[in-house]
Amino acid sequence: MRKTLSLLLALVMLLGLFTGCDEEETPTEIATRPTVTAEPEETTVPEDAVEETEVPEEGSLHTAVLRAGDPELQAEYILLAVNPEGPFLSEVSLNEDGANALIRWFATEQVRAKLENFGVEEYGEPVFTLAEGKPFQGWIPNAAEDNKTIRLSVADTLVESGILDQLLPIFEETYGYTVDVQSTSASGTLTAAKLGIMDLVLTEQSSATEAFIADGYARKVDGFESEEISFCGLEYLLCGPKNDPAEAANAETLQDAFAAIADGAYLFLSRGDESTVHKLEQSLWPAGQEFGVWYLEIDTQMGPLLVMNEIEGGYLLTDKLTWLIFSQNDGII
């Protein structure tokens, strides 16, 4: 930088020497012309001034987390073993032994330790919370020739997190199974299971999973008390502009925060796609809420929606994982 400034100043001085030389000059005029002398304070940039120049901060986000920790924002991911005796439209063939082995391993202390530390190194905090209850400590059988392949239907949020990339290779190498992962939306995981083409499901607990169990599509696994087997927890966050014009961060309840956004007609970006996060958001508005031009439904994934919201300066509901990725990359996904 100093070298560049010096070169520029030298160039200015040279130009000054030749200013006014358009007309032809005699040798006498050249000899008698006063010497151009540059004063130090006019031609030299003080070193201190260069060092103290304030550089604008890069990567500063306009969006901030306004609410976290509200009970309504806690999501639970569960495992469901598909019941071969379920009300399928045609005969199905499921790998029960393989599904049992994977479910039991997912509940071990080894997996819990991975979940507990996932994201700490990269984001400075864990992404997931541990499921309640004691870890599974029973026997897990190795694969046999007729049950090596396990078909797992998983909510895309978990796949995108990268946690399965850390877990499944350990399971496969230890026990000899191959896990065929099918990633889809939370609702899509159950649809695939109802077709009888999945051995187990890893998805977000909801009224849809309760109906899945009630309809007879799920079964209990020995060693567990319920068809629903907790895997981990993931939190949702209410994000918005840092100046928070609706004062959502200071609202007494999460519902009050949403009411304040609606009352002020502040911009809100919604998934609008019947996804789990969209259904959660819809449940938080005041009963009978009418939406105007301030409410935009954008049928897209969470990452692009966060990027759009950063530009528009609105409010939105997002999962913690996508927010951590978004903020870690200064708003680039």
Side-chain angles (χ1 to χ4, degrees), residues 21 40 50 55 67 113 153 223 229 238 242 244 252 262 277 280 306 313 321:
C21 295
V50 174
V55 180
R67 301 207 53 117
S153 184
I229 302 165
L238 176 61
K242 287 183 177 178
D244 188 16
E252 185 173 349
V277 66
L280 172 61
L306 269 169
L321 173 61

Side-chain angles (χ1 to χ4, degrees), residues 79-82 96-105 136 199-200 218-229:
L79 290 153
L80 295 168
V82 182
E96 295 181 71
D97 292 336
N100 292 346
L102 183 53
I103 286 174
R104 288 167 179 164
W105 186 75
F136 180 80
D199 301 311
L200 72 157
R219 62 179 174 83
K220 288 185 179 180
V221 175
D222 288 344
F224 301 91
E225 297 179 355
S226 170
E227 290 89 352
E228 286 189 2
I229 302 165

Side-chain angles (χ1 to χ4, degrees), residues 81-88 209-219 227:
V82 182
N83 180 13
E85 304 300 325
F88 301 104
T209 58
E210 293 174 358
F212 183 84
I213 295 170
D215 290 340
Y217 285 104
R219 62 179 174 83
E227 290 89 352

